[in-house]
Amino acid sequence: PFARQADCHVNCASCCLSTAARAAMNLTWSYGLEQRARKKTKQRALDEESLPSTPSSPSKSPSKLPAVGGGSRGSPLLHSSLSEPSLRSLAASRIAAVVERQSETTPVLEQRMAFARAIKDYNKHTKSSDDAEFWGARGAAGFRLFLKNKFGSVMAGWRALDTDVSGQLSFGEFCGACRNMGYAGNLKKLWCELDVNCNGIVSIMELDPEVGTTVGKFKVALLHEYGNMVTAWFKGIDTNSSGKIEEKEILAAVDRLNLNDQIDGNKLFKMLALHGSHGLTFQDFDPAAYGQWLGGDTLGLTGKASKELAALHRTLGKDDLPVPKDQLEGGGPGLVQKWREHQTGKHQTEMQAHLHEAKALRLGLHTADGFKKAVIARCGSLLGAWRYALDLDGNGRLSVGEFSVALARLGLHGDVQGLWSQLVKPHNIASSPSGSIRTKPQYFLYFSDLDPQTAEEVADMRAKLAEKHGNLLLAWVKGLDINGSGKVTLEEFTAALADCGCSVDAEALFKKMKPEASRSFLTLQDFDTKAFHALSRGDVRMLTERPDTPLQQEWQGDQGLNETGTMKKRALEMTFHERQASGFHVQLKAALAVAEKEEFAKTWKLMHAPEHRIDTAEEFEKLCKRTYGSMIAAWRQCLDLDANGKLTFGEFCKALRRLGYCGDMNEVWKKYGGGPEKHHLLLKDIDPEADEIVNSFLELLAENYGTLDDAWKQGFGKSSDETIDEKQLTEVCGKLGYGFSPKALFRCLQPAAGKLLITIWDLDPSCNRKKQRGEKAFLRAQQSPTAIAAKRELSAKASEFELQASHKEAAANGNLPSQKRHEEDLKVGAAFLPKLQLALRTKHGSTAAAWRMAMDPKFTGSVSFGNFLLVLEDCAFQGNVKALWKMLSGDRTTITFQDLDAGAQKLLDAFRASLLQNFGSVTEAWAKGLNEIGRGKVDKKDFLDACEKHALGSNPEKVFKALLARPGQRSLCKEDMRALLIGIPPEQIQNVWDGASSGQGVDPLSPRDSAKVRIDEDKSKDRIVSSVDGFKKMLIAKYGSLFSAWKNSLDTDHNGIMAQADFANACRDMGIKNITSLWGQLDPMGLGHVTLKDFDNDSNLAITEFTALLLAQAPTTKEAWTQFFMDPKKALGTDLKKFTVGCQEIGFGCMPPEKAFKLFRPEAGRHHLDYHDLFKNFDRNQNFPGKEPVQPWSKDQATTTN
């Protein structure tokens, strides 16, 4: 609007000027002669009147001038001094005449004055109309409106003005703040309006009295209620401690302060709120109090006098608004010291509380009760802690050292010796069979010292069970674990205790004996550790275990006790047979014999269960399916790791070891068909069904698309980093006419059981290695086993028929069969040579490029059969390779480029000869003939012009194609000229290349000089860029556009900014050394980062408008892209025609669609755009709307990002 209004003003002014000019011209011509005549007459009259009369002059004529030079002695001379009165009066009269003449009104003067008045009135009207729409001309009201629109409220704008939080503004501060916030009004005039009292200072009361009064009353009420603003914020406003206050909290605070009749809470919140904010922070509410809180002053002791409240106090007076004295006069002397004392006391209180808490936490290490609580919390019960944390060796006691180690293992530290003294209690009296009394020394800690009640219950249970069954192991087998499951439930445990007459609480004891609270059963190890160890040794009678009680341990000795606890006979009291039977080994042997009985069979098997072994072919297949989901998945991920389609015996054995197979590997090898005649296995030998299902599908893909990438992009409509599901695979199978079940195919292609998505890497593992190397992965047309068998049978019959026919023909002509086969191989090889050249051109662009880049990269002049095979495999050549090699090599072991493509060799020889004839070497020809302008690259047009200029070769267009190093290359560099060295002997290459002789006359360089030469050559390749424009040109030359360079090189993490580290990495990749200087030019303000707008405003405007238009059409950019720009044949890609139509449909007008297409594409020369070339693809599986969760690129995110 301002531009259109200015145009109207200019047109009107020019119209007025042209009218006035024509009027003035007409008046000048009509009155010219008359005016000049009148002026001359008036001038003569004035001159005559102004001349003074001399006394010596006899004549009284006023027109007669006095004599000059000689005259009478009394007559004055004209050259007299100007101080004479006569001459001064003459000058005054002439000036008066000029003034009178100039003040006369003439038609021309009247026209000029009228035109000046019209221009003045027009400027005044224009200025007034502009000021009507300009906040800067509205004075204080316009300034308040500006603050509301920019910051959300006048109070928020005041915080932006009062940056030093002083509560008042000087004129300098006011002007600086207005310039920073972009206000463009008349600051002097505005200051005069705001500074009402003319004291040179403006407060919030002068800026907006209503806001200052309302906010001031609210703050004064808070101060009267809570004492200081910090306490008021946390106790009176932000009661939920969220860090932000909302409108409802302001209303509640106003209600608590009984200010509803004076202050409108809703209006107060709007006065305090910020623009676009959902809440108000402490810093926004009162910056000064927020600073005190950050400094640790929660009582407001260090606060200064509030000038905001002081201005309110001056305006309303003491009666209307009694402001606290400390807020008007400041803290005063001594308050800082009080604050320090308060902080010191607070710190000491916190330290004491912390020490008290730490001491409370260490109670378990100082008292017996605390220790018991700690181990119960850690292990569930004291009995569980004793068995699984303290008494690990199961001997029923702990020494001081074992106790200390157990505490350290549990992570408990403290006064260990004091705790030991509290826990260890002496056994006062121990009765012996003879009646003597002994005192137990305090050397060990027993479980009865920790929990006497539980120890008594356990001892009672063991005594009752041992009394009935003989020992605890027999009690477990015969009384508790009757079914031999190795587990005892609560019901079984209760019944066993009741059966043996034990009166303890079975349920409580069962809970104490469980090692885990969640367990619902007991094992033999939980029941009795010694019985568990005895059973592991087959000692059913528990002969190898010591007695349980300390009493038995003390008095057993040589005398000993029997299984029932009664005293055994002494050796002298026994008979010979009793002494033989009481021997330890005899009893142990008897115990092992008892363990083999039927009643101990289940328990014995549970203790000595054999480890499961996978040692059969059936177990091998189950193991593969259990580990990988299917046999084909095991083949791809474990068996055939090199993805060559076959498995040798050595590879098979290694794979079996990786799987954990421990059976006879030869047996499994023979089961799948391996043997002396067959030295490798195929997938069809292990899983014929899966092999036929997958190979038939790959055969269809190879017939329809050729390569893996083309099949994935064109067949499935996906980019290489996207996935497909079972439904999409079924659709493609239907289009291709696949004869097997798509569901079965999907299960075969799954990399793991249960996986719902398939990637491009899951289709054909044989192509993955080539794709990883960046080569073109051709799908081989693999056939089913039935088709292969039929083809072999047919081939065998044909070979037999041909052999018989060849023998008959040889016998008739007198030729040998070997000569006949050689001639046939030559014919076959000649037939396959054009196909080989076509395959090389398809892969490398030309036969010369294939020879230089793949076959003979070191320019030895020849290639062996092995390298020849590798190149043909890389090109996916399908033909008789041996016959082709015989035709090319003849009787030699290598071939040359002349053998491979004689026409191309002849073309290169002719062009090289013309270059050497004109320039002497290839390097000179490049520098002086082809690359004269020194750009470093020569495109096709420049190459043809240079060849025509210097008469180089007869067919330069074919030479240009032969010199290109790869498909898609559009220009030549110096290194590409090495193709002209093909066919030259190795000893002449250096001379042809740069004209240097390789003979003995050249003095070799020393190692130091040679290294220096190489370093200088490397430094000469460094790109010296001293300006941002040069840097941008390099980016355009490499990436095609600045947007592509920004997305692919500068902003690689896609966060919208380029940090200095990102810029340095991009410069290093491009070989640029002057990084610091360039960054200084890009970031002159020293912000540390550069945005796309700062780097290239055109790209920023284009992508911003394009994104906004897409989001106006759909909720996400991907949905809009799919709707307007998606080409069904190219997944999410679009060509220039489709892109142009889509831009017209969405209304994109920032730049022509052709220019935008070139700007957005990731590299120069590409003919299509993908979605991820413009935006970050958060969910690459979401190719069509509605099939996957909504992509997180929504309108809100786009608005925030832009």
Side-chain angles (χ1 to χ4, degrees):
F2 292 105
R4 289 195 297 269
Q5 187 176 5
D7 293 340
C8 296
H9 294 172
V10 172
N11 294 335
C12 182
S14 62
C15 181
C16 295
L17 288 172
S18 60
T19 304
R22 287 195 298 269
M25 187 179 296
N26 293 334
L27 289 174
T28 301
W29 283 105
S30 58
Y31 297 102
L33 295 176
E34 181 181 354
Q35 290 176 356
R36 283 194 294 273
R38 189 184 302 124
K39 286 181 181 180
K40 290 181 179 180
T41 304
K42 288 183 179 181
Q43 184 66 32
R44 292 194 193 97
L46 289 173
D47 292 341
E48 291 177 357
E49 292 176 359
S50 61
L51 290 175
S53 57
T54 58
S56 59
S57 177
S59 174
K60 295 181 179 181
S61 177
S63 59
K64 188 175 181 180
L65 296 174
V68 178
S72 61
R73 296 180 178 177
S75 62
L77 298 177
L78 289 180
H79 60 275
S80 301
S81 174
L82 292 177
S83 60
E84 294 183 6
S86 60
L87 293 180
R88 285 201 304 271
S89 61
L90 176 62
S93 61
R94 289 183 177 178
I95 292 172
V98 171
V99 172
E100 181 182 1
R101 191 165 60 250
Q102 292 292 334
S103 61
E104 290 181 359
T105 58
T106 62
V108 176
L109 186 59
E110 291 178 356
Q111 289 289 337
R112 291 180 178 175
M113 293 178 64
F115 176 71
R117 285 192 296 270
I119 293 296
K120 185 176 181 180
D121 294 340
Y122 172 74
N123 291 336
K124 184 177 180 181
H125 173 72
T126 303
K127 189 174 184 304
S128 61
S129 61
D130 289 343
D131 291 343
E133 299 181 1
F134 182 51
W135 287 339
R138 301 185 189 180
F143 184 65
R144 288 191 287 269
L145 183 60
F146 170 77
L147 294 178
K148 288 181 180 179
N149 288 324
K150 186 173 182 65
F151 299 100
S153 65
V154 176
M155 198 67 190
W158 172 257
R159 300 297 182 208
L161 292 170
D162 187 19
T163 55
D164 57 352
V165 200
S166 62
Q168 59 188 10
L169 291 176
S170 64
F171 181 67
E173 293 175 335
F174 177 74
C175 294
C178 289
R179 293 190 190 98
N180 292 335
M181 66 178 58
Y183 181 76
N186 192 335
L187 298 182
K188 290 184 178 180
K189 181 179 177 182
L190 178 60
W191 176 264
C192 294
E193 293 185 26
L194 294 177
D195 189 11
V196 181
N197 52 8
C198 300
N199 61 348
I201 294 174
V202 170
S203 63
I204 183 63
M205 291 296 299
E206 294 173 303
L207 180 63
D208 194 332
E210 182 183 3
V211 172
T213 302
T214 304
V215 176
K217 287 183 178 180
F218 181 66
K219 289 188 174 181
V220 170
L222 290 174
L223 292 174
H224 282 291
E225 181 69 19
Y226 299 100
N228 60 80
M229 197 57 66
V230 178
T231 306
W233 171 265
F234 290 102
K235 294 185 178 181
I237 306 177
D238 187 19
T239 54
N240 57 0
S241 302
S242 62
K244 281 189 177 184
I245 56 174
E246 299 178 352
E247 187 173 0
K248 59 183 180 180
E249 294 176 291
I250 290 290
L251 295 176
V254 172
D255 187 34
R256 283 194 296 270
L257 296 173
N258 298 323
L259 296 177
N260 291 325
D261 55 342
Q262 303 180 28
I263 298 175
D264 185 359
N266 297 319
K267 193 173 182 180
L268 174 62
F269 182 77
K270 293 179 181 179
M271 291 178 179
L272 295 172
L274 299 176
H275 183 69
S277 176
H278 300 288
L280 195 68
T281 63
F282 191 14
Q283 186 178 9
D284 302 329
F285 179 72
D286 194 330
Y290 176 74
Q292 296 176 15
W293 177 69
L294 288 181
D297 182 11
T298 57
L299 301 179
L301 298 176
T302 59
K304 298 180 181 179
S306 176
K307 297 184 179 179
E308 292 184 10
L309 298 181
L312 183 66
H313 179 75
R314 289 193 302 270
T315 304
L316 300 181
K318 299 181 180 180
D319 298 332
D320 294 339
L321 192 65
V323 181
K325 185 177 180 181
D326 59 341
Q327 296 293 328
L328 295 176
E329 300 178 359
L335 289 181
V336 176
Q337 183 66 25
K338 291 181 180 180
W339 174 72
R340 291 177 179 173
E341 294 175 356
H342 169 73
Q343 290 295 102
T344 304
K346 181 180 178 182
H347 178 68
Q348 292 177 354
T349 304
E350 291 178 353
M351 288 296 297
Q352 291 177 358
H354 178 70
L355 293 176
H356 181 71
E357 292 178 359
K359 186 176 181 180
L361 292 176
R362 292 197 300 267
L363 280 178
L365 301 177
H366 297 276
T367 64
D369 294 335
F371 171 74
K372 294 177 183 179
K373 291 179 182 179
V375 295
I376 290 174
R378 183 71 61 86
C379 304
S381 65
L382 287 175
L383 184 58
W386 177 264
R387 287 183 174 177
Y388 297 101
L390 300 177
D391 186 22
L392 296 182
D393 55 358
N395 61 355
R397 63 186 184 182
L398 287 179
S399 64
V400 178
E402 291 175 334
F403 182 72
S404 302
V405 172
L407 289 184
R409 186 168 54 249
L410 289 172
L412 302 176
H413 305 280
D415 187 8
V416 179
Q417 188 65 35
L419 183 60
W420 174 264
S421 301
Q422 296 180 42
L423 291 175
V424 174
K425 299 177 182 179
H427 295 275
N428 297 326
I429 298 176
S431 299
S432 67
S434 60
S436 61
I437 299 175
R438 292 186 179 183
T439 302
K440 180 72 177 179
Q442 300 184 26
Y443 294 150
F444 299 102
L445 175 67
Y446 297 94
F447 179 68
S448 58
D449 299 330
L450 293 178
D451 192 353
Q453 181 182 356
T454 305
E456 184 179 354
E457 293 177 355
V458 172
D460 187 17
M461 177 197 67
R462 290 178 176 176
K464 296 291 184 182
L465 291 174
E467 181 182 355
K468 182 175 182 179
H469 299 284
N471 58 48
L472 294 180
L473 179 56
L474 294 175
W476 173 265
V477 175
K478 296 181 180 181
L480 295 172
D481 187 20
I482 301 174
N483 56 3
S485 62
K487 301 176 183 178
V488 173
T489 61
L490 176 61
E491 292 77 11
E492 296 172 340
F493 184 76
T494 305
L497 293 189
D499 185 44
C500 68
C502 184
S503 60
V504 300
D505 188 356
E507 184 176 356
L509 183 58
F510 184 85
K511 291 182 180 179
K512 293 178 181 179
M513 295 179 69
K514 288 192 306 181
E516 300 173 2
S518 60
R519 281 262 296 269
S520 60
F521 59 88
L522 288 178
T523 63
L524 178 57
Q525 187 177 7
D526 305 329
F527 174 70
D528 189 75
T529 307
K530 293 182 178 180
F532 174 77
H533 292 316
L535 181 61
S536 65
R537 291 189 291 267
D539 182 11
V540 179
R541 297 181 180 181
M542 297 183 66
L543 300 173
T544 57
E545 295 294 336
R546 298 178 64 186
D548 294 331
T549 63
L551 178 63
Q552 293 174 341
Q553 293 177 10
E554 289 184 10
W555 295 102
Q556 183 176 2
D558 296 335
Q559 172 183 333
L561 298 174
N562 57 17
E563 299 173 1
T564 61
T566 60
M567 301 303 299
K568 294 181 180 180
K569 293 182 180 180
R570 295 180 179 273
L572 296 178
E573 298 175 357
M574 296 181 183
T575 63
F576 174 77
H577 294 288
E578 287 178 345
R579 285 197 301 271
Q580 293 294 327
S582 65
F584 178 79
H585 293 286
V586 175
Q587 293 188 12
L588 183 60
K589 187 176 181 180
L592 293 175
V594 173
E596 295 177 357
K597 293 183 179 180
E598 184 178 357
E599 58 181 342
F600 292 96
K602 291 184 179 180
T603 305
W604 184 262
K605 289 180 180 179
L606 290 174
M607 283 297 299
H608 302 279
E611 190 175 323
H612 181 66
R613 292 171 58 87
I614 301 174
D615 54 1
T616 62
E618 290 75 14
E619 291 287 342
F620 165 70
E621 292 185 359
K622 291 180 181 179
L623 176 63
C624 290
K625 293 178 181 178
R626 185 169 60 251
T627 306
Y628 297 100
S630 63
M631 290 302 297
I632 187 173
W635 172 269
R636 291 184 170 187
Q637 300 179 39
C638 179
L639 301 177
D640 186 23
L641 290 180
D642 54 358
N644 61 353
K646 58 185 179 180
L647 194 65
T648 62
F649 182 72
E651 294 174 339
F652 184 72
C653 294
K654 290 181 180 178
L656 291 183
R657 293 190 188 98
R658 282 195 299 269
L659 284 170
Y661 182 80
C662 54
D664 189 354
M665 299 183 183
N666 285 315
E667 181 182 352
V668 183
W669 175 262
K670 293 176 182 178
K671 178 185 180 298
Y672 291 118
E677 298 180 356
K678 188 174 182 180
H679 303 289
H680 61 270
L681 296 180
L682 303 177
L683 176 60
K684 68 177 182 178
D685 301 326
I686 296 178
D687 194 350
E689 183 181 358
D691 180 69
E692 190 168 2
I693 289 173
V694 174
N695 284 340
S696 59
F697 179 70
L698 295 179
E699 183 179 357
L700 288 175
L701 292 180
E703 292 177 357
N704 288 273
Y705 305 105
T707 64
L708 181 63
D709 291 331
D710 293 341
W712 190 258
K713 291 181 181 179
Q714 299 176 16
F716 295 97
K718 304 289 183 180
S719 59
S720 59
D721 51 0
E722 292 179 316
T723 57
I724 61 172
D725 53 12
E726 184 177 353
K727 184 177 179 181
Q728 295 168 342
L729 180 64
T730 304
E731 294 176 357
V732 174
C733 290
K735 294 179 182 178
L736 296 176
Y738 181 64
F740 294 91
S741 171
K743 188 174 183 180
L745 175 63
F746 187 81
R747 287 198 300 268
C748 292
L749 295 178
Q750 278 179 318
K755 200 166 185 180
L756 302 178
L757 299 175
I758 290 176
T759 65
I760 189 175
W761 305 98
D762 301 328
L763 290 184
D764 189 2
S766 62
C767 296
N768 291 345
R769 299 179 66 183
K770 297 180 181 179
K771 184 172 175 60
Q772 289 172 350
R773 293 195 299 264
E775 303 172 359
K776 204 164 189 178
F778 288 91
L779 286 166
R780 298 184 181 272
Q782 303 181 22
Q783 298 177 346
S784 63
T786 306
I788 292 174
K791 185 175 180 181
R792 287 179 178 175
E793 184 178 359
L794 182 61
S795 176
K797 292 181 179 179
S799 300
E800 184 178 358
F801 177 76
E802 291 178 358
L803 182 61
Q804 293 176 0
S806 62
H807 279 290
K808 292 180 181 179
E809 185 178 357
N813 300 331
N815 296 330
L816 296 176
S818 59
Q819 296 179 354
K820 183 66 176 178
R821 285 197 299 270
H822 182 70
E823 294 176 0
E824 290 178 356
D825 289 341
L826 293 179
K827 292 180 181 180
V828 172
F832 278 111
L833 181 59
K835 296 182 180 180
L836 171 62
Q837 295 175 352
L838 179 60
L840 294 175
R841 294 190 188 100
T842 304
K843 174 68 177 177
H844 299 280
S846 65
T847 55
W851 181 270
R852 179 164 66 97
M853 305 303 294
M855 292 186 177
D856 186 24
K858 296 183 179 180
F859 292 95
T860 59
S862 61
V863 62
S864 63
F865 181 67
N867 293 335
F868 183 73
L869 281 179
L870 293 176
V871 175
L872 265 59
E873 181 183 357
D874 183 47
C875 297
F877 175 72
Q878 303 289 337
N880 194 333
V881 180
K882 290 185 178 180
L884 182 60
W885 177 261
K886 287 182 180 180
M887 189 275 298
L888 293 175
S889 63
D891 297 333
R892 295 171 293 150
T893 58
T894 59
I895 64 171
T896 62
F897 185 66
Q898 177 72 27
D899 303 326
L900 183 64
D901 193 347
Q905 181 67 66
K906 182 178 179 182
L907 182 68
L908 294 177
D909 291 343
F911 188 75
R912 181 177 63 247
S914 60
L915 285 180
L916 297 178
Q917 182 178 359
N918 285 275
F919 301 99
S921 66
V922 177
T923 305
E924 290 294 324
W926 170 262
K928 298 180 180 179
L930 301 177
N931 187 30
E932 292 182 343
I933 60 177
R935 192 171 56 180
K937 290 185 178 181
V938 177
D939 56 11
K940 184 176 181 180
K941 183 178 180 303
D942 296 337
F943 183 82
L944 296 179
D945 294 342
C947 291
E948 183 179 359
K949 177 180 178 181
H950 300 285
L952 302 176
S954 59
N955 198 342
E957 190 168 352
K958 288 186 178 181
V959 174
F960 182 81
K961 292 181 180 180
L963 294 178
L964 295 175
R966 62 185 181 276
Q969 186 177 347
R970 304 175 60 183
S971 59
L972 294 175
C973 63
K974 181 180 179 181
E975 193 65 22
D976 297 330
M977 300 297 291
R978 291 190 177 272
L980 297 174
L981 304 178
I982 298 175
I984 298 178
E987 61 272 8
Q988 299 180 9
I989 288 179
Q990 191 66 27
N991 187 25
V992 173
W993 177 250
D994 55 8
S997 175
S998 59
Q1000 300 179 354
V1002 180
D1003 296 333
L1005 296 175
S1006 63
R1008 177 178 295 180
D1009 295 338
S1010 179
K1012 184 177 180 181
V1013 169
R1014 288 196 298 270
I1015 292 173
D1016 294 340
E1017 290 180 356
D1018 293 339
K1019 288 184 177 180
S1020 65
K1021 296 178 182 179
D1022 292 340
R1023 300 177 179 178
I1024 306 301
V1025 179
S1026 58
S1027 64
V1028 177
D1029 294 337
F1031 177 67
K1032 290 182 178 180
K1033 289 180 181 179
M1034 288 184 62
L1035 292 177
I1036 294 174
K1038 183 174 182 179
Y1039 296 98
S1041 65
L1042 292 178
F1043 178 79
S1044 175
W1046 175 269
K1047 190 173 183 298
N1048 298 309
S1049 178
L1050 302 177
D1051 184 21
T1052 54
D1053 51 359
H1054 306 289
N1055 60 352
I1057 61 174
M1058 174 183 61
Q1060 188 173 3
D1062 301 332
F1063 178 75
N1065 292 333
C1067 290
R1068 293 189 190 100
D1069 293 340
M1070 298 177 64
I1072 297 175
K1073 298 297 182 180
N1074 194 16
I1075 300 177
T1076 305
S1077 176
L1078 289 176
W1079 178 255
Q1081 298 179 38
L1082 287 172
D1083 185 21
M1085 303 296 294
L1087 300 177
H1089 64 272
V1090 175
T1091 62
L1092 179 59
K1093 182 178 180 181
D1094 304 329
F1095 184 70
D1096 185 27
N1097 192 29
D1098 294 341
S1099 300
N1100 180 66
L1101 293 176
I1103 192 63
T1104 302
E1105 181 178 348
F1106 190 77
T1107 305
L1109 293 174
L1110 288 180
L1111 292 176
Q1113 303 293 332
T1116 63
T1117 55
K1118 180 172 282 189
E1119 293 182 17
W1121 178 271
T1122 305
Q1123 180 180 355
F1124 293 98
F1125 298 96
M1126 181 175 175
D1127 189 351
K1129 297 181 180 180
K1130 297 181 180 179
L1132 296 181
T1134 179
D1135 54 8
L1136 178 58
K1137 184 178 180 181
K1138 182 67 177 176
F1139 183 78
T1140 304
V1141 175
C1143 289
Q1144 294 175 356
E1145 291 178 355
I1146 66 175
F1148 180 72
C1150 179
M1151 60 177 61
E1154 295 81 4
K1155 184 178 179 181
F1157 186 85
K1158 293 181 180 179
L1159 179 68
F1160 292 151
R1161 63 185 179 183
E1163 64 266 354
R1166 214 172 90 168
H1167 301 293
H1168 70 279
L1169 275 178
D1170 292 333
Y1171 173 79
H1172 55 77
D1173 295 334
L1174 282 78
F1175 306 103
K1176 186 176 181 180
N1177 200 352
F1178 292 96
D1179 185 5
R1180 297 183 182 274
N1181 298 320
Q1182 183 191 3
N1183 299 318
F1184 302 95
K1187 291 189 177 182
E1188 294 288 340
V1190 177
Q1191 181 183 355
W1193 181 265
S1194 59
K1195 291 183 178 180
D1196 297 336
Q1197 183 180 359
T1199 304
T1200 306
T1201 305
N1202 291 335

